[in-house]
Amino acid sequence: MADLPRTGAPGDAELLRAARAGDAGCLGLLLARHRAGMYAVALALLGHSHDAEDAVQDAALIALRRVGDVRDPEAVGPWLRMVTRNVCRGRLRRMSAVPVADVADVAGSAATDRWDGPPDPAEVIDRHALRDWVWNAIEDLSPGLRLVTMLRYFTDVTSYEDIAALCATPVGTVRSRLHQARSKLVDALSDSVDRAHDDATALSSLHFEMAARTLADAHRGRLASALSPWWSPQADVTWPTGRHTGIDYLPTAFDHDLSDGVRHELLNVVAGREVVIWEAALHSPPEDPFHCPPGVVWVHFLDRGRVSRVRLYHPRRR
């Protein structure tokens, strides 16, 4: 952890300063210290222990992304309770029936609720010193939880239906996995200890450059040679139709697209130690504007640094 007073328990202000500097352990201590008050607020507004627990988890993830917004370091407790209150009000507004006495008070908070909506870990990656902790916490999730989390929060494949189709799993399973992932991320935040984290920004930059070079080579008809250094010769490819092929068919299919006038434009790369996701736009030729879907997602699964399998998916047209 960052340097803190060595005598007595550190105060909220000291923990906040360390958390702002990127110390996840100190943010975990703050949340543990004020969790009882946050839970009491959630229970009073939602009236159900399960819903209240979910709201506290949401508030904890929002605190992760918004910890830099606290103006008064001595008022962390009231700030966390306010975040929790706003999360609960957002949940109540989304319910068909609002089980509270003062409906007008809940509705009136809509204009001032800065924390409404799902937490966005991508914002942490871009803006906050805790970004490497976030990525390492995601890497510690099980493969099933990790993939839905990466898709939901770091790509444009955000709908439960698209994630379910890409992962070949029911929508209910996607919802359950995202709930489990949030819970585990909050638990990891509470249990954080000081450790060296991988440089998530450098990893993403490295894979973006690799993806850009690979697609550039593919447009020159050299996809096979571009893939050989980092793909296993036995890699399995699952196509959007569900068909399975080996790596040898991929250059043939890409060259067929090129001959039809289709071009691939790399938009986004999300990289972890075991999963790397590419998002690309597909540009059909002007004379045949609906020749292909508007985009494709490549989900690469790595084994000891090499691609062992990949799944291709066409997100629904937005």
Side-chain angles (χ1 to χ4, degrees):
M1 289 186 183
D3 293 336
L4 296 171
R6 298 186 180 274
T7 58
D12 282 359
E14 288 85 357
L15 291 175
L16 178 64
R17 282 194 289 270
R20 284 173 168 170
D23 193 320
C26 287
L27 182 55
L29 283 175
L30 274 175
L31 291 169
R33 177 176 294 176
H34 295 285
R35 188 186 184 287
M38 296 165 68
Y39 183 75
V41 169
L43 194 61
L45 282 172
L46 299 177
H48 188 278
S49 58
H50 181 75
D51 291 339
E53 185 65 38
D54 283 352
V56 171
Q57 290 177 1
D58 280 348
L61 292 180
I62 290 170
L64 173 64
R65 108 185 191 221
R66 295 289 190 180
V67 68
D69 291 351
V70 184
R71 295 180 181 178
D72 182 0
E74 300 296 338
V76 177
W79 180 77
L80 287 170
R81 292 191 291 275
M82 179 182 64
V83 173
T84 306
R85 187 177 300 112
N86 286 335
V87 168
C88 293
R89 286 171 171 170
R91 284 174 172 264
L92 291 172
R93 286 198 299 272
R94 291 190 291 271
M95 294 178 182
S96 57
V98 184
V100 293
D102 190 356
V103 178
D105 178 61
V106 174
S109 68
T112 58
D113 184 0
R114 299 175 58 199
W115 295 280
D116 193 18
D120 181 8
E123 186 176 349
V124 181
I125 297 295
D126 292 338
R127 296 178 56 241
H128 203 274
L130 291 168
R131 62 187 179 274
D132 294 334
W133 178 91
V134 173
W135 268 119
N136 278 269
I138 290 173
E139 296 283 13
D140 288 340
L141 296 173
S142 66
L145 302 186
R146 185 190 310 131
L147 179 55
V148 297
T149 301
M150 291 173 72
L151 290 169
R152 173 73 171 175
Y153 294 116
F154 298 100
T155 76
D156 283 337
V157 185
T158 57
S159 76
Y160 292 149
E161 292 77 11
D162 271 343
I163 295 173
L166 196 159
C167 297
T169 191
V171 172
T173 301
V174 170
R175 293 180 185 274
S176 174
R177 287 178 180 175
L178 285 170
H179 172 80
Q180 292 178 58
R182 285 188 309 167
S183 177
K184 288 181 180 294
L185 287 175
V186 172
D187 288 345
L189 185 58
S190 300
D191 296 339
S192 276
V193 294
D194 191 24
R195 60 172 173 148
H197 297 307
D198 294 341
D199 190 333
T201 303
L203 186 63
S204 290
S205 297
L206 172 65
H207 277 281
F208 192 95
E209 291 175 7
M210 290 175 61
R213 286 200 304 269
T214 300
L215 289 180
D217 284 342
H219 283 102
R220 300 184 186 103
R222 299 199 296 264
L223 181 57
S225 59
L227 295 180
S228 60
W230 68 292
W231 277 53
S232 165
Q234 291 78 40
D236 176 77
V237 181
T238 303
W239 295 84
T241 59
R243 177 189 179 191
H244 289 265
T245 70
I247 183 176
D248 294 340
Y249 182 70
L250 193 57
T252 301
F254 203 99
D255 288 345
H256 188 270
D257 276 353
L258 292 181
S259 65
D260 288 341
V262 176
R263 292 295 181 268
H264 296 238
E265 178 190 1
L266 185 65
L267 301 177
N268 182 37
V269 173
V270 180
R273 290 193 297 265
E274 297 179 357
V275 178
V276 178
I277 302 171
W278 298 356
E279 293 181 279
L282 297 179
H283 299 294
S284 297
E287 66 275 10
D288 186 10
F290 300 105
H291 178 85
C292 61
V296 62
V297 176
W298 304 52
V299 181
H300 306 80
F301 298 91
L302 309 185
D303 181 11
R304 288 173 290 185
R306 303 193 78 189
V307 176
S308 61
R309 58 191 176 97
V310 67
R311 188 175 186 94
L312 302 173
Y313 177 70
H314 295 305
R316 292 175 302 169
R317 196 179 294 270
R318 300 258 186 256

